[in-house]
Amino acid sequence: MRGLAGGAVPTESRLRADARRNSEQIRAAAIGAFQGRGLTVPLEEVAKAAGVSKATVFNRFGGRIGLIDAVIEEVVATELLAVIDCARTIEDIGERTVYYFTALRDLQYRQPAVNDVLLQTYPNSQQLMEICRAGSEANEELIAPARASGALRPEFTAGDLHALVVDNALALKYGERPPRDDYDRRTTYLLDGIRGRPSASGGRAPRGSAG
């Protein structure tokens, strides 16, 4: 079939193929942009990288929230949930604690979008809030046995861990990014500060000890 001007009229299947191609290009551009710079990257830049207009991004995904929900698994969830799953396989609670804190801070440094998730920058994103819920559950799951075993200070709570990761997220998102060596050194300081205190006999201080 041909149009009035003699040009071919796009078929419905051709239009669907173009829409799929645009969606794939936008997804790929969003993943690259969000992983590199976080979830607040201007949509104009995502559209430009995808070779489409900003209006096309809205047509395909309904805006930023829809786009975040479409790619957050690849950008954040896969790695963050892998850290949680790996921590659960570590039998020694002290080693589990060190691994979890270190791996979480590593993700915060490498993946800016992780900090947007932890700061709940887009609370209307169902996928983002689901990741936050899973992270909160993992924190609770880790802290209680670590405190009971003496691996963590008896007064350290899941709320304290949440505050530490949020403070770190704010510093990385809005402050000057430190060199990696300095960042890792500060991770060690953090771990030293929240570990359980050794007793005079060389073991861990009993729970509730004032020492």
Side-chain angles (χ1 to χ4, degrees):
M1 180 178 180
R2 304 184 69 83
L4 295 178
V9 175
T11 64
E12 183 177 351
S13 61
R14 172 65 183 276
L15 292 174
R16 287 199 300 266
D18 288 345
R20 284 195 301 270
R21 183 174 64 254
N22 286 341
S23 295
E24 291 166 1
Q25 291 171 339
I26 294 167
R27 276 178 50 85
I31 290 170
F34 291 163
Q35 283 182 335
R37 296 167 54 197
L39 302 179
T40 58
V41 172
L43 291 186
E44 291 86 351
E45 296 185 20
V46 174
K48 182 178 180 180
V52 301
S53 68
K54 183 178 177 180
T56 301
V57 176
F58 276 83
N59 288 338
R60 300 276 76 84
F61 295 94
R64 184 181 298 275
I65 300 302
L67 185 56
I68 288 173
D69 283 343
V71 302
I72 197 69
E73 182 174 353
E74 292 95 328
V75 175
V76 172
T78 298
E79 280 200 87
L80 183 57
L81 296 179
V83 166
I84 294 171
D85 289 342
C86 184
R88 288 171 174 157
T89 68
I90 301 174
E91 185 174 352
D92 182 86
I93 188 61
E95 294 178 6
R96 187 189 315 163
T97 302
V98 170
Y99 166 78
Y100 183 72
F101 288 2
T102 303
L104 182 56
R105 280 178 57 88
D106 173 64
L107 268 183
Q108 288 187 266
Y109 190 88
R110 291 189 296 103
Q111 294 282 17
V114 169
N115 296 314
D116 288 319
V117 170
L118 294 171
L119 294 172
Q120 299 184 13
T121 305
Y122 297 104
N124 291 329
S125 166
Q126 294 182 356
Q127 298 292 340
L128 185 151
M129 297 307 293
E130 178 61 22
I131 296 171
C132 289
R133 183 197 63 76
S136 295
E137 289 183 357
N139 292 348
E140 295 280 356
E141 179 183 318
L142 174 80
I143 296 300
R147 288 173 58 186
S149 71
L152 288 174
R153 297 169 65 109
E155 69 273 23
F156 190 79
T157 67
D160 292 326
L161 173 57
H162 176 74
L164 288 172
V165 296
V166 167
D167 286 348
N168 190 43
L170 288 169
L172 288 170
K173 185 171 180 64
Y174 298 110
E176 183 176 351
R177 184 180 177 86
R180 184 67 201 236
D181 288 347
D182 289 346
Y183 183 82
D184 290 343
R185 179 165 47 85
R186 290 161 191 161
T187 297
T188 301
Y189 295 156
L190 171 62
L191 286 167
D192 288 345
I194 65 178
R195 281 194 179 102
R197 301 175 183 176
S199 67
S201 62
R204 292 294 181 189
R207 189 170 183 177
S209 169

